[in-house]
Amino acid sequence: MVAIGYEPEEVVIVSISEPKMEEVVYEAAPIIKPIVTPTKPVEPIEPEPFYELSDEQRRIVENIVMGESGSESYLGQRLVALCIVNACLKDNISPSEVRVKYQYAGWNENPTDSVKDAVSSVFDDGDLPSDEQILYFYAPKWTKSAWHETQRYVMTEGGHKFFAEWEEW
Protein backbone atom coordinates (compact mmCIF):
# COMPACT_ATOMS: atom_id res chain seq x y z
CA MET A 1 0.00 0.00 0.00
CA VAL A 2 1.21 3.39 -0.88
CA ALA A 3 0.63 6.32 1.39
CA ILE A 4 -0.34 9.56 -0.25
CA GLY A 5 1.08 12.58 1.44
CA TYR A 6 -1.29 15.21 2.77
CA GLU A 7 -0.32 18.54 3.91
CA PRO A 8 -2.94 20.48 5.79
CA GLU A 9 -3.72 24.01 4.79
CA GLU A 10 -3.34 26.77 7.25
CA VAL A 11 -6.26 26.78 9.64
CA VAL A 12 -7.57 30.05 11.00
CA ILE A 13 -9.44 29.86 14.26
CA VAL A 14 -12.12 32.52 14.70
CA SER A 15 -13.35 33.27 18.16
CA ILE A 16 -16.98 34.39 18.49
CA SER A 17 -17.45 36.65 21.44
CA GLU A 18 -20.19 38.97 22.72
CA PRO A 19 -20.06 42.40 21.10
CA LYS A 20 -19.12 45.25 23.29
CA MET A 21 -21.96 47.62 24.15
CA GLU A 22 -20.38 50.53 22.38
CA GLU A 23 -20.30 48.49 19.20
CA VAL A 24 -24.06 47.77 19.27
CA VAL A 25 -26.23 50.33 17.56
CA TYR A 26 -29.98 50.04 18.06
CA GLU A 27 -32.27 51.64 15.56
CA ALA A 28 -35.59 52.81 16.90
CA ALA A 29 -38.75 52.02 15.00
CA PRO A 30 -40.12 55.02 13.17
CA ILE A 31 -42.77 56.97 15.02
CA ILE A 32 -46.04 56.86 13.17
CA LYS A 33 -48.28 59.80 13.82
CA PRO A 34 -51.94 59.58 12.88
CA ILE A 35 -53.06 61.94 10.19
CA VAL A 36 -55.93 64.01 11.44
CA THR A 37 -58.20 65.22 8.70
CA PRO A 38 -60.90 67.63 9.71
CA THR A 39 -64.32 66.25 8.83
CA LYS A 40 -67.85 67.52 8.95
CA PRO A 41 -70.06 65.97 11.63
CA VAL A 42 -72.09 63.08 10.29
CA GLU A 43 -75.73 64.00 10.09
CA PRO A 44 -78.08 61.24 11.24
CA ILE A 45 -80.14 59.75 8.46
CA GLU A 46 -83.85 59.84 9.10
CA PRO A 47 -85.45 56.50 8.31
CA GLU A 48 -88.09 56.45 5.63
CA PRO A 49 -91.60 56.28 7.09
CA PHE A 50 -93.53 53.04 6.64
CA TYR A 51 -96.39 55.02 5.08
CA GLU A 52 -95.82 58.72 4.55
CA LEU A 53 -98.60 61.03 5.66
CA SER A 54 -99.07 64.70 4.88
CA ASP A 55 -99.93 66.86 7.89
CA GLU A 56 -103.58 66.92 6.79
CA GLN A 57 -103.76 63.15 6.29
CA ARG A 58 -102.08 62.60 9.69
CA ARG A 59 -104.72 64.83 11.30
CA ILE A 60 -107.46 62.76 9.62
CA VAL A 61 -105.98 59.45 10.80
CA GLU A 62 -105.49 60.74 14.35
CA ASN A 63 -109.08 62.05 14.46
CA ILE A 64 -110.44 58.71 13.19
CA VAL A 65 -108.37 56.68 15.66
CA MET A 66 -109.39 59.01 18.51
CA GLY A 67 -113.06 58.77 17.56
CA GLU A 68 -113.01 55.01 17.07
CA SER A 69 -110.70 53.91 19.88
CA GLY A 70 -109.56 56.91 21.93
CA SER A 71 -110.80 55.33 25.16
CA GLU A 72 -109.31 51.93 24.32
CA SER A 73 -105.86 50.60 25.19
CA TYR A 74 -102.77 51.69 23.29
CA LEU A 75 -102.85 48.31 21.52
CA GLY A 76 -106.46 48.88 20.53
CA GLN A 77 -105.55 52.30 19.13
CA ARG A 78 -102.68 50.78 17.14
CA LEU A 79 -104.98 48.06 15.79
CA VAL A 80 -107.43 50.69 14.48
CA ALA A 81 -104.49 52.55 12.91
CA LEU A 82 -103.38 49.24 11.38
CA CYS A 83 -106.82 48.79 9.77
CA ILE A 84 -106.45 52.23 8.20
CA VAL A 85 -102.92 51.71 6.88
CA ASN A 86 -103.85 48.26 5.54
CA ALA A 87 -106.82 49.77 3.69
CA CYS A 88 -104.54 52.50 2.27
CA LEU A 89 -102.08 49.87 1.05
CA LYS A 90 -104.68 47.39 -0.24
CA ASP A 91 -106.76 49.91 -2.17
CA ASN A 92 -103.98 52.40 -2.95
CA ILE A 93 -106.03 55.26 -1.54
CA SER A 94 -105.44 58.02 1.01
CA PRO A 95 -106.70 57.91 4.62
CA SER A 96 -109.44 60.45 3.79
CA GLU A 97 -110.67 58.10 1.04
CA VAL A 98 -110.45 55.15 3.44
CA ARG A 99 -112.68 57.04 5.89
CA VAL A 100 -115.42 57.27 3.25
CA LYS A 101 -115.01 53.83 1.63
CA TYR A 102 -114.81 51.93 4.93
CA GLN A 103 -117.50 54.11 6.53
CA TYR A 104 -115.66 55.09 9.70
CA ALA A 105 -118.15 56.87 11.89
CA GLY A 106 -115.86 57.76 14.79
CA TRP A 107 -114.30 61.22 14.71
CA ASN A 108 -112.78 63.28 17.49
CA GLU A 109 -110.70 66.37 16.80
CA ASN A 110 -108.84 66.22 20.12
CA PRO A 111 -106.50 63.23 19.80
CA THR A 112 -104.58 62.30 22.93
CA ASP A 113 -100.83 61.83 23.05
CA SER A 114 -101.49 58.07 23.20
CA VAL A 115 -103.46 58.20 19.93
CA LYS A 116 -100.77 60.35 18.27
CA ASP A 117 -98.11 57.86 19.40
CA ALA A 118 -100.19 54.91 18.14
CA VAL A 119 -100.60 56.51 14.70
CA SER A 120 -96.89 57.37 14.56
CA SER A 121 -95.93 53.85 15.64
CA VAL A 122 -97.92 52.27 12.81
CA PHE A 123 -97.58 54.80 9.98
CA ASP A 124 -94.08 56.15 10.65
CA ASP A 125 -92.25 53.26 12.28
CA GLY A 126 -94.10 50.36 10.66
CA ASP A 127 -94.51 48.80 14.10
CA LEU A 128 -97.52 46.71 13.16
CA PRO A 129 -99.37 45.15 16.10
CA SER A 130 -100.48 42.12 14.08
CA ASP A 131 -99.14 40.11 11.16
CA GLU A 132 -102.73 39.66 10.00
CA GLN A 133 -104.03 41.95 7.26
CA ILE A 134 -106.89 43.26 9.36
CA LEU A 135 -109.14 45.73 7.58
CA TYR A 136 -112.36 45.80 9.55
CA PHE A 137 -113.50 46.26 13.11
CA TYR A 138 -116.60 47.05 15.08
CA ALA A 139 -117.66 47.49 18.70
CA PRO A 140 -120.26 44.82 19.60
CA LYS A 141 -121.28 46.80 22.70
CA TRP A 142 -122.49 49.66 20.53
CA THR A 143 -123.68 47.97 17.36
CA LYS A 144 -124.46 44.66 15.71
CA SER A 145 -122.87 43.78 12.41
CA ALA A 146 -123.83 40.61 10.59
CA TRP A 147 -121.59 41.71 7.70
CA HIS A 148 -118.44 41.95 9.86
CA GLU A 149 -119.16 38.48 11.21
CA THR A 150 -118.98 37.08 7.65
CA GLN A 151 -115.32 38.15 7.51
CA ARG A 152 -112.39 36.19 8.98
CA TYR A 153 -112.26 36.92 12.71
CA VAL A 154 -108.73 37.72 13.95
CA MET A 155 -108.96 39.04 17.51
CA THR A 156 -110.76 41.05 20.11
CA GLU A 157 -109.04 43.92 21.89
CA GLY A 158 -110.92 45.99 24.41
CA GLY A 159 -114.35 46.72 23.02
CA HIS A 160 -113.52 45.94 19.38
CA LYS A 161 -113.52 42.80 17.26
CA PHE A 162 -111.06 42.84 14.35
CA PHE A 163 -111.44 41.01 11.04
CA ALA A 164 -109.52 40.29 7.85
CA GLU A 165 -110.74 39.20 4.46
CA TRP A 166 -110.85 35.47 3.81
CA GLU A 167 -108.27 35.70 1.03
CA GLU A 168 -104.95 37.47 1.49
CA TRP A 169 -104.43 40.47 -0.77
Side-chain angles (χ1 to χ4, degrees):
M1 214 164 145
V2 177
I4 299 175
Y6 177 80
E7 291 195 26
E9 297 180 19
E10 186 176 331
V11 177
V12 177
I13 299 177
V14 177
S15 168
I16 299 176
S17 63
E18 293 291 319
K20 296 178 183 168
M21 284 307 287
E22 57 269 4
E23 294 176 356
V24 177
V25 176
Y26 292 98
E27 290 189 27
I31 297 174
I32 300 173
K33 294 181 181 179
I35 298 172
V36 179
T37 306
T39 59
K40 294 179 186 175
V42 176
E43 304 248 349
I45 298 172
E46 289 294 321
E48 293 291 321
F50 177 73
Y51 186 96
E52 192 161 352
L53 292 170
S54 68
D55 290 344
E56 177 61 16
Q57 292 299 314
R58 181 174 301 278
R59 184 187 71 77
I60 289 169
V61 173
E62 289 174 349
N63 291 345
I64 293 170
V65 173
M66 184 66 192
E68 296 286 359
S69 62
S71 63
E72 295 287 335
S73 69
Y74 181 66
L75 175 58
Q77 295 166 359
R78 289 176 56 228
L79 287 166
V80 170
L82 178 61
C83 289
I84 298 169
V85 79
N86 280 343
C88 289
L89 294 169
K90 176 186 181 281
D91 297 332
N92 196 29
I93 58 178
S94 70
S96 57
E97 294 169 304
V98 167
R99 179 182 183 207
V100 174
K101 180 176 181 176
Y102 287 77
Q103 301 175 2
Y104 292 132
W107 183 266
N108 184 324
E109 295 187 2
N110 298 303
T112 62
D113 287 343
S114 177
V115 165
K116 291 177 181 180
D117 290 345
V119 169
S120 178
S121 172
V122 171
F123 280 81
D124 299 338
D125 302 335
D127 185 15
L128 308 181
S130 174
D131 291 337
E132 297 283 344
Q133 293 176 330
I134 60 173
L135 286 169
Y136 314 111
F137 63 91
Y138 81 104
K141 179 179 177 180
W142 304 109
T143 189
K144 294 190 184 298
S145 177
W147 181 85
H148 280 90
E149 296 296 335
T150 66
Q151 303 303 303
R152 185 169 57 84
Y153 170 77
V154 175
M155 69 175 64
T156 297
E157 172 60 29
H160 288 95
K161 291 177 78 174
F162 293 89
F163 302 85
E165 294 180 330
W166 284 101
E167 293 184 22
E168 297 289 318
W169 40 271

